[in-house]
Amino acid sequence: MKAEKINELYFGDVDHPVTTYDRRDFLKRLGGGIIIIMSFSELSFLTGCKTKQDEERPDFNAYLHIKEDGSVDCLTGKIEMGQGVITSLAQELADELEVPFKSVNMVMGDTDLCPYDAGTWGSLTTRFEGPVIRAAGAEAREILIGLAAKELGVSEKQLEASEGEVFDKNDKSKKISYADLTKGQRIVQQLKKAPELKKSKDFDIIGKSVISTDAVDKVTGKAVFSGDIKLPGMVYATIVRPRVWGSKKLSVDASGLDDFEGAELVEDGDLVAVVHPDPEVASKAAQKVNVEWDAPESKADNETIFKYFVDNITESEVNEEGGMLSSGREACETIVEAEYHDGYKAHSPVEPHTATCYFEGDKLTMWASTQTPFGTREALAETFSMPKEKVHLKQNFLGGGFGGKIYNPQAIEAARIAKLSGKPVQLAYTRREEFFNDYFRPAAVVRSASGVDSEGKLKLWEFDIYCAGSRGTGLSYLYDIPNNRTRTFNKGDIHPFSTGAWRAPGNNTTTFARESQIDATAHAAGIDPLEFRLNNITNPEMKATLELAAETFNWNKEKPEGHGYGISLGWDAGTYVAMIAEVKVDKATGEVQPIRVVCAQNMGQVVNPHGAKVQTEGGITMGLGYALTEEMEFDWGRVITRNFDSYHFTKFSMTPEIESVFADNMDAAPQGGGEPAIICVGGAIANAVFDACGARVNRQPITPERILAALG
Amino acid sequence: MKQNVSFNLNGKPVEVEVNGDESLLTVIRTYLDHTGTKYGCGMGHCGSCTILIDKEPVRSCMMYAEDVAGKEITTIEGLAKGEELHPVQKAFVEHDALQCGYCTPGMIMNATGLLLKKPDMTREEIIEGMEENLCRCGSYMRIIDAIQTAGKEMKGGM
Ligand code: FES
Ligand code: FES
């Protein structure tokens, strides 16, 4: 699948059904016990990196293995990066299978042990994987009860499973453990039909708050990240980078390396690196390698990029259309037109991209900070024209991803260097490289026109999106506006550097623009923004979610001097979100202090309420950064932002009081939780700032300078 | 110029050969194989490399090995006593004050250093003392709660 195709998926709404693929024999190497294999959805089969499309795939992408000692392994190609699925998936499995939570061992993202998976992104795991894992757990339980019936000589109906044992309901002393039942068995079954799932009232573990299972390893320093691996004879690599992204190498002068004993130059096309057994020597020596680069000409910088987009992208696609724009305009008493800008944002996980690897014979083994171990494996296999079975990505922890670790240039670079140097290699990006090489959240422009009639009803909606995609913009989830048109303007190579998926791709930008526009329209019509929204929403879920937020926040309560309230609504990954923020603005300096954020979500079934709350808080905290402080500075490919002293994301003092509330929907299917909350932060803050001081800032981040400028 | 530097690491004397101009973070992670301490920025901005030097929280990426000759260094690996977690570690687990866990060692070391001086910090004091430790996952609220809990336990003296 091509990178553009992937990005199309990331930036669009993800809602695909399950399909099956041709079978491959993966299970040969597993020992005895009961094995249930399962597939999640078509999306799990997509490749995270560019690869041949016609490749055969196994028809399952996770399996559950109840081993002969009664312990349970659940293997999936998904990875854990702080979003908590290592815990919530184990909860779901333990509950349906009727085993103690602690007896489930999650094995994730190891390409030799786990079946293929396209990668961990798009808030897909809980939505598509959770239900399947539950079904597999339920099916295994049914099989075990069947075995127990034979063993105990009682009918299945009379048996019940609990805590890893099957017992006779009438005579609890008549029982047999899962371990005894699986001993000597070899049952492999593919999950096809949906077995009887537990109802929410019978849940023992689902819906209970569970602390992350990996917390102890993380507080003791035992959790292993890819840069914590040290191999015998390993060298550390430093890559000599150009100053300008997209430069081509002209010449290399490595004579400076003579001063560094043991330093070796590795050169392969535009890749120029120095390796040394000591990381600091490698880095110092690399500074002495002089490379002459041919840099591309500058076409725009962080201030002029918006005009550059509008001038250079003329082709558009209509994503949604209804009624007639001209009659819509006529029906309106008030029309608001505005343009919104959003700068490039970096993912900036605290752990930079890292890879440690070695070749042994014809096999490549790697630990990498990747959200797409299987895609990375395929990209590596393609780079070296080797069969992908010969590439092994090992399981390790990730220090955050947020979409940025879908892309793994460091893995390819590390392996190329290892191949050429003939030694095990670790390549850990410096913070500066992390900023330079990021697949940034694209800068974007939204142009909008909206109008209301004399009744305060929205009659007109025009929404032109440059470079942010259409994910989450569907009006049927949001507002009822009879005359509307949403268009997207995209051009693949328009950006000065790489861009990609950033937590809820595109939706942060478009939600900011839409909710600012709605707010501005409400104010222009002289209507309270809450009342205005409620009056223009017919979708019952959206309406209920907004009502829940307003009630939790207490919208009508009195505002202290200098404080303002702002609302934002959104829809992402199947989840409805309504957010209300309270901020305090210092009119003299333009400083904004977030005070309180209430976030109501209808995400269907909530598997781990504690985990969902953590994800929501994390999303809101991260969102405050893009709303208020985060922006890349650049002059075309010359990335000026290099470290955290010039790229500011949310710190302790900026974090407000956060209250997350969830609609009670325990028998519904679970929806996305990792991304939705973050989309509303920009709009809620922008509207709260306006409410506090009258400054309408149409550009993210909403900095003190921009607030002062808007105040005039 | 190679030289030998000696100090105590988590209570044990160590001697390590250094070039003299590498960061203490590299010395700890790469030469002494204590990988719990993390690199985040290399310039003193993020706090993931925080360790204690004679009980003072310090950013190891901004120090040289020779600066610590003869001193007592504590890293995240040195906090627990066997299986028994340190009160700050315990509180981080209890409050789930982490997500990806990458900033966590630095957060815990910085918090421990602050609490050793003042176990009963107010919320504002915690925020002020922790402000320059960055967490991209957004675990700040629970980290504050964890520090308050740990402080209560540490009040009795450590
Ligand atoms: S790595 Fe030392 S402060 Fe960031
Ligand atoms: S827990 Fe991920 S950076 Fe703090």
Side-chain angles (χ1 to χ4, degrees):
Chain A
M1 172 158 308
K2 294 254 183 333
E4 304 87 75
K5 180 74 194 154
I6 293 285
N7 273 340
E8 202 178 288
L9 281 163
Y10 292 148
F11 286 87
D13 288 320
V14 168
D15 245 336
H16 290 239
V18 175
T19 57
T20 48
Y21 283 70
D22 289 339
R23 170 170 289 248
R24 290 270 297 266
D25 67 338
F26 177 89
L27 302 158
K28 267 192 262 166
R29 325 173 232 161
L30 301 179
I34 297 175
I35 296 159
I36 309 283
I37 61 182
M38 46 197 150
S39 72
F40 299 140
S41 85
E42 188 183 358
L43 282 161
S44 292
F45 291 100
L46 301 175
T47 321
C49 289
K50 197 174 142 239
T51 184
K52 285 178 230 80
Q53 207 171 351
D54 51 354
E55 199 130 27
E56 265 185 56
R57 306 237 178 264
D59 59 349
F60 61 97
N61 55 4
Y63 67 92
L64 153 67
H65 187 182
I66 305 157
K67 293 189 289 194
E68 290 183 80
D69 61 0
S71 67
V72 182
D73 282 351
C74 180
L75 292 93
T76 154
K78 297 266 176 242
I79 55 98
E80 169 65 36
M81 53 183 162
Q83 83 283 37
V85 292
I86 197 169
T87 308
S88 61
L89 292 175
Q91 271 181 283
E92 297 187 90
L93 178 54
D95 206 323
E96 287 294 350
L97 184 57
E98 298 292 359
V99 293
F101 173 62
K102 289 221 155 41
S103 68
V104 175
N105 175 33
M106 296 295 299
V107 181
M108 304 181 74
D110 184 302
T111 59
D112 268 16
L113 301 173
C114 306
Y116 178 84
D117 185 273
T120 308
W121 45 270
S123 291
L124 297 172
T125 308
T126 305
R127 271 196 290 166
F128 294 116
E129 182 148 348
V132 181
I133 282 198
R134 282 185 58 196
E139 182 143 330
R141 183 188 68 217
E142 285 179 10
I143 294 172
L144 286 158
I145 289 180
L147 292 172
K150 279 186 216 133
E151 228 26 74
L152 300 173
V154 276
S155 83
E156 288 183 23
K157 274 197 209 78
Q158 210 176 307
L159 293 172
E160 202 170 281
S162 169
E163 296 283 302
E165 287 180 334
V166 183
F167 58 86
D168 186 336
K169 279 187 239 178
N170 303 335
D171 173 8
K172 294 213 167 164
S173 67
K174 241 188 181 177
K175 61 179 182 183
I176 183 161
S177 73
Y178 283 8
D180 288 333
L181 288 169
T182 41
K183 208 157 287 152
Q185 298 283 357
R186 165 88 187 171
I187 298 174
V188 179
Q189 193 152 314
Q190 176 154 30
L191 179 67
K192 281 202 193 76
K193 60 164 186 140
E196 187 87 2
L197 291 183
K198 282 181 157 184
K199 290 272 172 296
S200 62
K201 64 174 175 34
D202 299 323
F203 289 157
D204 299 315
I205 310 171
I206 296 174
K208 296 264 160 12
S209 286
V210 173
I211 297 292
S212 315
T213 50
D214 49 15
V216 172
D217 281 349
K218 287 174 176 174
V219 300
T220 50
K222 290 199 186 102
V224 174
F225 296 83
S226 54
D228 298 340
I229 305 286
K230 193 175 179 183
L231 302 165
M234 183 172 91
V235 289
Y236 296 84
T238 299
I239 294 180
V240 184
R241 304 271 179 202
R243 288 178 67 79
V244 180
W245 178 261
S247 299
K248 294 270 160 271
K249 187 182 83 184
L250 296 174
S251 65
V252 180
D253 171 10
S255 55
L257 284 189
D258 299 347
D259 299 342
F260 298 91
E261 204 192 318
E264 273 174 55
L265 183 77
V266 175
E267 211 188 324
D268 179 18
D270 279 343
L271 176 67
V272 181
V274 174
V275 297
H276 193 276
D278 185 321
E280 299 236 6
V281 178
S283 133
K284 289 195 183 83
Q287 287 167 28
K288 293 288 184 281
V289 176
N290 287 315
V291 181
E292 210 188 317
W293 301 97
D294 180 17
E297 296 253 312
S298 173
K299 295 181 196 153
D301 62 23
N302 44 288
E303 292 304 318
T304 57
I305 193 81
F306 308 109
K307 182 169 180 324
Y308 178 79
F309 287 162
V310 172
D311 290 347
N312 287 282
I313 315 176
T314 44
E315 273 175 41
S316 67
E317 189 186 316
V318 175
N319 294 86
E320 188 176 356
E321 212 169 10
M324 283 267 287
L325 295 181
S326 53
S327 50
R329 275 190 184 258
E330 273 161 35
C332 291
E333 198 158 77
T334 313
I335 290 180
V336 175
E337 299 196 15
E339 184 168 310
Y340 299 88
H341 294 167
D342 197 0
Y344 290 94
K345 320 282 175 186
H347 294 85
S348 12
V350 181
E351 177 206 34
H353 282 64
T354 303
T356 306
C357 66
Y358 66 98
F359 281 91
E360 191 176 39
D362 60 351
K363 210 170 174 305
L364 168 61
T365 305
M366 177 179 282
W367 292 258
S369 52
T370 172
Q371 286 178 247
T372 52
F374 288 87
T376 304
R377 177 180 72 162
E378 294 186 14
L380 287 164
E382 213 176 293
T383 304
F384 300 106
S385 307
M386 59 200 281
K388 61 181 190 307
E389 292 73 24
K390 299 280 182 193
V391 182
H392 182 189
L393 269 281
K394 305 266 271 186
Q395 176 180 23
N396 50 232
F397 281 102
L398 260 78
F402 319 110
K405 288 174 181 168
I406 289 169
Y407 317 96
N408 295 279
Q410 92 287 9
I412 310 288
E413 289 165 347
R416 282 167 74 193
I417 297 167
K419 182 108 199 171
L420 289 166
S421 70
K423 298 188 179 94
V425 164
Q426 180 168 107
L427 173 64
Y429 281 0
T430 60
R431 182 52 54 188
R432 184 176 174 182
E433 282 179 294
E434 187 68 17
F435 275 113
F436 188 74
N437 286 349
D438 196 19
Y439 281 63
F440 296 98
R441 163 170 147 190
V445 173
V446 176
R447 292 175 146 182
S448 181
S450 55
V452 279
D453 65 11
S454 52
E455 315 274 276
K457 287 273 184 205
L458 280 160
K459 287 284 173 259
L460 173 72
W461 185 250
E462 291 178 33
F463 208 58
D464 285 350
I465 306 159
Y466 290 77
C467 304
S470 64
R471 174 163 163 168
T473 59
L475 283 179
S476 60
Y477 301 111
L478 300 156
Y479 299 99
D480 198 15
I481 314 174
N483 309 294
N484 64 77
R485 183 185 65 197
T486 300
R487 295 189 294 184
T488 44
F489 293 69
N490 286 320
K491 199 168 167 190
D493 55 358
I494 193 85
H495 302 287
F497 25 61
S498 306
T499 58
W502 192 103
R503 204 169 186 173
N507 210 349
N508 294 299
T509 305
T510 52
T511 300
F512 158 71
R514 181 189 59 247
E515 294 306 309
S516 297
Q517 179 74 14
I518 293 284
D519 221 67
T521 311
H523 284 287
I527 306 170
D528 170 80
L530 173 64
E531 190 193 318
F532 182 72
R533 283 182 173 83
L534 289 172
N535 194 25
N536 282 287
I537 300 171
T538 42
N539 181 307
E541 264 122 342
M542 187 76 261
K543 199 167 204 165
T545 310
L546 174 56
E547 279 161 351
L548 178 61
E551 192 185 289
T552 311
F553 184 87
N554 191 5
W555 176 254
N556 291 321
K557 81 177 162 171
E558 220 179 297
K559 261 168 250 178
E561 175 65 23
H563 288 228
Y565 303 159
I567 303 176
S568 173
L569 308 180
W571 185 86
D572 188 82
T575 295
Y576 292 87
V577 194
M579 188 175 288
I580 308 184
E582 173 176 353
V583 301
K584 184 173 158 201
V585 182
D586 182 331
K587 267 195 178 181
T589 61
E591 293 295 335
V592 178
Q593 176 64 49
I595 304 288
R596 180 169 173 240
V597 174
V598 165
C599 178
Q601 292 176 88
N602 183 342
M603 56 167 73
Q605 179 190 79
V606 181
V607 178
N608 180 355
H610 166 75
K613 181 169 160 276
V614 166
Q615 276 293 302
T616 303
E617 287 177 8
I620 292 169
T621 307
M622 186 171 177
L624 289 167
Y626 81 68
L628 289 166
T629 50
E630 288 177 43
E631 185 162 45
M632 290 301 297
E633 201 186 329
F634 61 92
D635 180 6
W636 201 245
R638 196 162 69 81
V639 179
I640 298 168
T641 303
R642 291 174 183 176
N643 212 313
F644 297 136
D645 55 342
S646 50
Y647 193 82
H648 302 282
F649 58 71
T650 307
K651 291 182 172 183
F652 273 94
S653 62
M654 205 162 91
T655 313
E657 184 192 325
I658 296 173
E659 242 171 287
S660 19
V661 279
F662 302 99
D664 185 1
N665 214 351
M666 281 309 273
D667 280 312
Q671 301 294 336
E675 300 181 314
I678 195 173
I679 63 171
C680 285
V681 181
I685 294 291
N687 297 336
V689 166
F690 177 80
D691 188 44
C693 70
R696 174 65 65 193
V697 179
N698 286 354
R699 174 165 169 192
Q700 294 192 113
I702 303 161
T703 59
E705 301 76 55
R706 288 171 194 158
I707 290 173
L708 293 179
L711 286 173
Chain B
M1 255 257 298
K2 299 253 183 214
Q3 65 191 90
N4 282 343
V5 178
S6 313
F7 49 85
N8 271 344
L9 177 60
N10 298 330
K12 290 196 194 81
V14 291
E15 187 174 301
V16 60
E17 191 186 68
V18 299
N19 299 317
D21 57 355
E22 62 272 81
S23 73
L24 182 58
L25 174 62
T26 302
V27 172
I28 292 170
R29 278 183 58 81
T30 313
Y31 301 177
L32 296 169
D33 294 325
H34 281 54
T35 52
T37 307
K38 301 298 182 209
Y39 168 97
C41 70
M43 305 277 269
H45 304 310
C46 74
S48 12
C49 65
T50 306
I51 56 167
L52 297 183
I53 300 181
D54 290 342
K55 301 196 174 166
E56 268 297 314
V58 170
R59 309 201 151 186
S60 61
C61 70
M62 301 300 281
M63 304 279 289
Y64 293 121
E66 59 188 27
D67 298 341
V68 297
K71 307 215 158 150
E72 176 73 45
I73 291 191
T74 313
T75 66
I76 189 74
E77 292 92 344
L79 277 191
K81 295 201 175 76
E83 293 290 290
E84 172 73 18
L85 296 182
H86 183 277
V88 181
Q89 292 173 313
K90 242 193 293 178
F92 267 63
V93 172
E94 200 180 298
H95 289 270
D96 211 9
L98 49 91
Q99 291 184 59
C100 77
Y102 194 82
C103 70
T104 312
M107 291 284 179
I108 290 180
M109 296 318 290
N110 200 52
T112 305
L114 296 174
L115 288 168
L116 283 174
K117 271 180 270 181
K118 191 164 189 242
D120 53 352
M121 284 183 286
T122 61
R123 224 184 140 77
E124 288 64 41
E125 287 170 320
I126 294 174
I127 291 174
E128 202 189 311
M130 296 298 294
E131 178 70 353
E132 300 304 324
N133 276 62
L134 304 181
C135 174
R136 185 56 155 166
C137 299
S139 304
Y140 296 127
M141 304 221 313
R142 297 185 315 282
I143 293 174
I144 297 171
D145 293 344
I147 295 174
Q148 281 183 322
T149 301
K152 279 183 205 128
E153 197 178 331
M154 284 168 74
K155 227 185 208 153
M158 285 273 311

